[in-house]
Amino acid sequence: MGVVKIVRNIRRGRIQKLLCLTTAVSAPALAFEVYLEHTKASFGDKWMWTPVVLTPPLALAAVAGFYSERAANRWLPVFGALYAVDGVVGIVTHIQGIRKRPGGFGEASYNLVMGPPLLAPGALTMIGGLGVVAAIARREK
């Protein structure tokens, strides 16, 4: 019965609570991995802290959005958008990080593996985007 109701809600575009829950679970897991990876780089750039700092407010807004439509519509798009923009900034800084390594993109086979992961910040953009989409989606009945 529960699966049928979930599928029915998804087909009708009523997925706000599901997206809130997905955001609330995904953001802390990603932040933990980001923290571990940025620790390896000794947090050498101040931007490395932003995903870690932005995660608690996003996760709290997502949890609040799960329980309250008002919170989902008010706070989740704000912190989701910040998280998504931070992901875009991360992609740019990772490109710069690879470019600054000896050989830059000329040694792509080495620097793309050993340097900052080029597309990893895209995960922040996707999770932030989930939060923004949750605010737009209709609430489950």
Side-chain angles (χ1 to χ4, degrees), residues 64-87:
F66 180 79
Y67 291 106
S68 163
E69 185 174 8
R70 184 176 178 193
N73 294 333
R74 178 175 286 175
W75 297 110
L76 197 50
V78 171
F79 292 112
L82 283 172
Y83 213 68
V85 168
D86 190 43

Side-chain angles (χ1 to χ4, degrees), residues 91 94-112 118:
I91 292 169
H94 281 211
I95 289 170
Q96 290 172 346
I98 292 168
R99 186 182 49 79
K100 290 177 184 177
R101 292 181 65 84
F105 284 100
E107 296 290 332
S109 62
Y110 179 77
N111 286 335
L112 287 174
L118 185 58

Side-chain angles (χ1 to χ4, degrees), residues 2-141:
V3 173
V4 172
K5 186 176 181 180
I6 290 170
V7 171
R8 186 179 313 125
N9 277 326
I10 291 171
R11 285 186 177 162
R12 293 180 180 162
R14 298 185 177 277
I15 55 172
Q16 187 177 64
K17 290 172 75 174
L18 179 63
L19 291 175
C20 287
L21 184 62
T22 303
T23 303
V25 171
S26 301
L30 177 62
F32 179 68
E33 194 233 336
V34 167
Y35 178 79
L36 293 176
E37 291 300 317
H38 286 180
T39 298
K40 290 180 191 176
S42 302
F43 286 92
D45 185 345
K46 65 181 177 179
W47 284 103
M48 290 179 163
W49 283 104
T50 57
V52 176
V53 171
L54 288 174
T55 297
L58 175 63
L60 288 173
V63 168
F66 180 79
Y67 291 106
S68 163
E69 185 174 8
R70 184 176 178 193
N73 294 333
R74 178 175 286 175
W75 297 110
L76 197 50
V78 171
F79 292 112
L82 283 172
Y83 213 68
V85 168
D86 190 43
V88 173
V89 170
I91 292 169
V92 171
T93 57
H94 281 211
I95 289 170
Q96 290 172 346
I98 292 168
R99 186 182 49 79
K100 290 177 184 177
R101 292 181 65 84
F105 284 100
E107 296 290 332
S109 62
Y110 179 77
N111 286 335
L112 287 174
V113 174
M114 300 307 292
L118 185 58
L119 299 177
L124 269 78
T125 304
M126 288 189 297
I127 291 173
L130 281 175
V132 173
V133 172
I136 298 167
R138 293 184 292 170
R139 195 136 181 111
E140 292 88 335
K141 286 187 177 183

